[in-house]
């Protein structure tokens, strides 16, 4: 009979963490930027159907990097948890903190359970409040650690490089326009030089507290996104038209309807 | 218990792929939260709780209007004067309730969650027929209660994004689903409301015309049915009117409905039976 090798607990955890980290580093980054009216998510994602950023509840959204099947599972669990809370108590009783806790416990248990493969994912859970100071942003790692983030955050492949660009250029309380440009520029930033990511390869969504509906989440895409990304013009006319179309998009289709 | 309370980790059922129905999930996880799930002792329970009354809906080119009066009754008593019985079901549809108010409001909450849940999980909205069928299933679950006098009979209307027109569905207590053309009414005053709409409704009515027609119909329902509330001029309580078009649903402001209702009442001062229809 062969004797099993002894592996110290430290080594085992380190191996599992390395495994998860490697999986996460393979993916592209997701950027979260707080702006005056809410929270903006951006990611380079050529797929129009497989989302990295999604709505969870009225004021709560979710973004993830890593293995799609694993974070999709977590997203659905989050939607179920939020809807269950909202149905059994009230819509106001669904909080980002509660959701972040549930995710942290789940990821932590899976990470330390010997029989299970650790999840190769990292998550953001964001919630917008009535005013900017009430906005919350949590980052959850594969081992179930939770961190409270402010202003901006990045996760995924080239997180350090992208974060460095954000660190240099972030301005507190910026407009949606500025936030989109900053986030997209940061995603295209690398040590080898900057590149411009096409509108079709971007997944951008916001939680906008000024939205009239209860559900504050909506996606920015197509013409609306191109308009926001246009090179800065000092002329006031195009700015005015951008505001118009923003108001227009508020009355337009429910979030998530068009894939 | 609600949520994953026995273990800090999300329960396995939450992580299970497959189901997109919140009702099914609720039935598996917390069946006690389903409306109409409890077993009642034998006998008629109709007098137990407030009843909501008349809902009317009418389509126009490009959308649909739904309106409900504001009265809830308990036997011969007026239980509430300003109850709301018309709700947005999702962005493109509305649901109005008649029958046992407590069960109906809970059913609407479940229906709203059901539609939103599907939308979030699938990334797309249900078709208009899909929504109407889900509501039918919810009503069917309540059949036991309905047989003891606690029935819920909603009216469902919305804008169909595929065929680009307003559609109306009515139901019976067994979950039977019937599509209606042009207009429909449910609840205790529905006979009078429908009679009124028969004479007032025209295919060429626009949004404003339809709003006028449904408020006239509710006036006629209140005129002849004691359980339907008319416009309350002293307290300024007027019907809830929901309009759904290609741009989504919106509830008309109280000021706007008050203005229409005031005009209807002023005209009835001159002719209490309402507008005259031509004989031929």
């Amino acid at each position: 009979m062969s004797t099993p090798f002894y592996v110290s607990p430290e080594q085992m955890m380190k191996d599992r963490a390395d495994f998860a980290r490697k999986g996460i580093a393979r993916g592209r980054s997701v950027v979260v930027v707080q702006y005056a009216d809410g929270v903006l998510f951006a990611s380079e994602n050529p797929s129009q159907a497989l989302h990295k950023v999604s709505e969870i509840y009225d004021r709560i959204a979710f973004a993830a990097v890593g293995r799609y099947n694993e974070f999709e599972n977590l997203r659905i669990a989050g939607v179920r948890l939020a809807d269950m809370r909202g149905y059994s108590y009230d819509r106001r009783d669904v909080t980002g903190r509660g959701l972040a806790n549930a995710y942290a416990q789940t990821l932590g248990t899976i990470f330390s359970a010997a029989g299970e493969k650790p999840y190769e994912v990292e998550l953001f859970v964001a919630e917008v409040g009535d005013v900017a100071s009430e906005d919350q942003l949590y980052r959850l790692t594969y081992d179930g650690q939770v961190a409270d983030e402010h202003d901006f955050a990045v996760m995924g492949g080239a997180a350090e490089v992208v974060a460095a660009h954000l660190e240099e250029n972030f301005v507190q309380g910026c407009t949606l326009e500025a936030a989109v440009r900053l986030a997209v520029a940061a995603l295209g930033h690398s040590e080898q030089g900057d590149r411009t990511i096409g509108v079709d390869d971007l997944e951008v969504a916001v939680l906008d507290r000024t939205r009239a509906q209860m559900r504050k989440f909506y996606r920015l895409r197509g013409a609306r996104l191109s308009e926001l990304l246009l090179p800065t013009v000092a002329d006031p006319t195009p700015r005015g038209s951008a505001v118009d179309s923003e108001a227009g998009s508020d009355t337009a289709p429910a979030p998530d309807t068009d894939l | 218990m609600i949520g994953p309370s026995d273990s800090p980790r999300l329960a396995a059922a939450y992580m299970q792929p497959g189901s997109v129905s919140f009702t099914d999930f609720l039935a598996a996880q917390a069946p006690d939260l389903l409306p109409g799930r409890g077993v009642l002792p034998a006998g008629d329970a109709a007098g137990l709780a407030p009843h909501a009354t008349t809902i009317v809906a009418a389509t126009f080119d490009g959308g649909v209007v739904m309106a409900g009066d504001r009265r809830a009754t308990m036997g011969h008593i007026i239980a509430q004067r300003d109850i709301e019985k018309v709700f947005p079901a999702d962005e493109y549809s509305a649901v109005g309730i008649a029958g046992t108010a407590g069960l109906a409001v809970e059913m609407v909450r479940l229906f709203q969650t059901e539609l939103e849940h599907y939308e979030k999980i699938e990334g797309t909205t249900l078709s208009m027929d899909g929504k109407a069928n889900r509501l039918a299933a919810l009503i069917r679950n309540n059949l036991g209660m309905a047989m003891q006098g606690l029935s819920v009979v909603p009216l469902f209307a919305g804008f169909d994004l595929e065929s680009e027109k307003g559609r109306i569905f009515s139901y019976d207590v067994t979950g039977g689903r019937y599509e209606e053309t042009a207009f429909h009414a449910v609840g205790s005053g529905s006979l009078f409301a429908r009679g009124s709409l028969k004479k007032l409704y025209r295919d060429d009515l626009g949004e404003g015309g339809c709003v006028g027609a449904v408020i006239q119909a509710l006036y006629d329902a209140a005129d002849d049915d004691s359980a339907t509330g008319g416009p309350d001029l002293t307290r300024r309580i007027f019907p809830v009117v929901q309009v759904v078009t290609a741009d989504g649903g919106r509830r008309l402001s109280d000021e706007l409905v008050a203005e229409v209702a005031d005009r209807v009442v002023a005209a009835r001062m001159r002719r209490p039976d309402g507008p005259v229809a031509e004989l031929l």
Side-chain angles (χ1 to χ4, degrees):
Chain A
M1 197 188 121
S2 64
T3 325
F5 287 111
Y6 171 75
V7 184
S8 70
E10 291 86 356
Q11 186 60 42
M12 197 159 71
M13 286 302 140
K14 192 179 165 300
D15 287 351
R16 291 171 78 89
D18 285 345
F19 169 80
R21 245 184 254 129
K22 256 184 234 161
I24 293 160
R26 274 196 291 272
R28 293 203 175 97
S29 314
V30 169
V31 170
V32 182
V33 178
Q34 291 183 296
Y35 69 103
D37 293 332
V39 181
L40 172 118
F41 301 84
S43 166
E44 189 177 358
N45 182 5
S47 168
Q48 295 295 305
L50 307 177
H51 296 303
K52 287 183 174 179
V53 184
S54 310
E55 175 188 16
I56 296 283
Y57 210 65
D58 292 354
R59 295 168 163 273
I60 305 171
F62 163 102
V65 291
R67 280 181 82 96
Y68 179 78
N69 65 324
E70 291 175 351
F71 69 67
E72 175 69 3
N73 243 346
L74 289 168
R75 180 186 75 90
I76 289 174
V79 170
R80 284 177 178 155
L81 182 72
D83 280 345
M84 182 71 116
R85 289 256 163 92
Y87 177 70
S88 47
Y89 301 119
D90 186 74
R91 295 193 83 92
R92 293 296 297 194
D93 298 318
V94 181
T95 61
R97 200 179 56 87
L99 185 70
N101 271 332
Y103 279 145
Q105 296 294 349
T106 306
L107 286 167
T109 316
I110 292 173
F111 180 75
S112 51
E116 280 181 277
K117 177 191 93 62
Y119 271 24
E120 298 162 67
V121 295
E122 252 182 76
L123 315 177
F124 282 137
V125 171
E127 180 179 12
V128 285
D130 294 328
V131 289
S133 59
E134 286 171 14
D135 291 354
Q136 286 164 33
L137 177 57
Y138 301 98
R139 172 213 291 268
L140 294 121
T141 51
Y142 53 85
D143 55 356
Q145 288 192 59
V146 196
D148 202 354
E149 302 277 355
H150 297 282
D151 300 339
F152 61 85
V154 193
M155 59 187 180
E160 288 85 23
V161 192
V162 176
H165 184 269
L166 285 169
E167 182 82 54
E168 255 171 59
N169 297 293
F170 178 78
V171 185
Q172 241 174 2
C174 58
T175 61
L176 173 64
E177 220 171 356
V180 173
R181 280 189 204 150
L182 171 65
V184 173
L187 286 172
H189 181 73
S190 71
E191 272 148 4
Q192 288 80 42
D194 292 353
R195 69 203 166 91
T196 315
I197 304 168
V199 170
D200 293 340
D201 291 337
L202 280 172
E203 182 182 356
V204 181
V206 291
L207 281 169
D208 179 353
R209 82 179 102 254
T210 61
R211 199 168 191 255
Q213 282 97 325
M214 244 181 336
R215 293 162 71 182
K216 306 297 180 193
F217 180 90
Y218 65 90
R219 295 182 187 282
L220 292 169
R221 53 185 130 203
R224 173 87 179 103
L225 184 56
S226 322
E227 200 178 298
L228 284 169
L229 284 171
L230 276 181
T232 328
V233 219
D235 179 23
T237 341
R239 282 199 49 135
S241 70
V243 171
D244 282 350
S245 75
E246 187 177 3
S249 76
D250 271 354
T251 51
D256 256 9
T257 41
D258 37 350
L259 273 173
Chain B
M1 282 308 291
I2 298 135
S5 41
D6 33 355
S7 139
R9 178 179 172 174
L10 280 161
Y14 283 80
M15 310 281 277
Q16 211 153 49
S19 170
V20 292
S21 164
F22 181 73
T23 315
D24 293 353
F25 182 68
L26 195 63
Q29 288 303 300
D32 48 314
L33 290 178
L34 283 175
R37 199 53 188 263
V39 180
L40 296 180
D44 187 23
L48 213 61
H51 274 238
T53 46
T54 314
I55 307 290
V56 292
T59 58
F60 58 91
D61 188 24
V64 61
V65 174
M66 183 182 274
D69 73 304
R70 304 291 291 271
R71 181 171 291 179
T73 56
M74 241 172 111
H76 298 294
I77 302 285
I78 293 171
Q80 199 182 345
R81 319 178 184 282
D82 60 352
I83 190 174
E84 296 189 358
K85 299 183 259 183
V86 175
F87 306 91
D90 68 354
E91 188 100 25
Y92 292 100
S93 60
V95 59
I97 49 159
T100 310
L103 290 174
V105 169
E106 200 62 11
M107 191 180 284
V108 167
R109 254 161 48 79
L110 181 58
F111 184 52
Q112 288 168 330
T113 310
E114 175 86 9
L115 298 186
E116 186 187 320
H117 190 77
Y118 181 94
E119 194 182 314
K120 287 190 288 198
I121 287 191
E122 284 293 287
T124 176
T125 48
L126 271 169
S127 65
M128 191 65 194
D129 292 277
K131 292 177 202 173
N133 285 337
R134 283 312 302 169
L135 185 56
L138 296 186
I139 297 164
R140 198 169 297 123
N141 286 340
N142 194 50
L143 183 58
M145 292 280 199
M147 290 175 72
Q148 288 184 268
L150 300 176
S151 61
V152 176
V153 187
L155 188 62
F156 179 60
F159 184 79
D160 189 336
L161 291 165
E162 263 164 66
S163 62
E164 298 188 337
K165 59 177 189 187
R167 294 172 73 185
I168 301 172
F169 294 90
S170 71
Y171 296 87
D172 64 32
V173 288
T174 62
R177 185 206 92 165
Y178 314 97
E179 179 157 11
E180 307 291 342
T181 45
F183 59 85
H184 197 71
V186 295
S188 60
S190 62
L191 292 181
F192 309 111
R194 225 179 299 167
S196 173
L197 277 171
K198 263 187 188 173
K199 298 292 172 278
L200 293 176
Y201 183 84
R202 296 192 313 268
D203 286 338
D204 61 347
L205 287 181
E207 184 189 315
C210 271
V211 171
V214 293
I215 289 180
Q216 290 278 14
L218 283 176
Y219 190 103
D220 281 319
D223 208 15
D224 289 315
D225 170 38
S226 62
T228 303
D232 191 335
L233 296 174
T234 50
R235 296 186 184 84
R236 307 298 290 167
I237 300 169
F238 298 104
V240 174
V241 183
Q242 184 87 10
V243 178
V244 189
T245 63
D247 294 333
R250 63 182 200 284
R251 180 178 162 175
L252 295 190
S253 70
D254 286 343
E255 294 77 46
L256 206 112
V257 178
E259 200 188 303
V260 181
D262 280 339
R263 265 188 288 139
V264 167
V265 172
R268 300 262 176 165
M269 291 287 189
R270 295 189 294 275
R271 191 173 187 285
D273 290 339
V276 186
E278 286 164 31
L279 272 182
L280 281 172

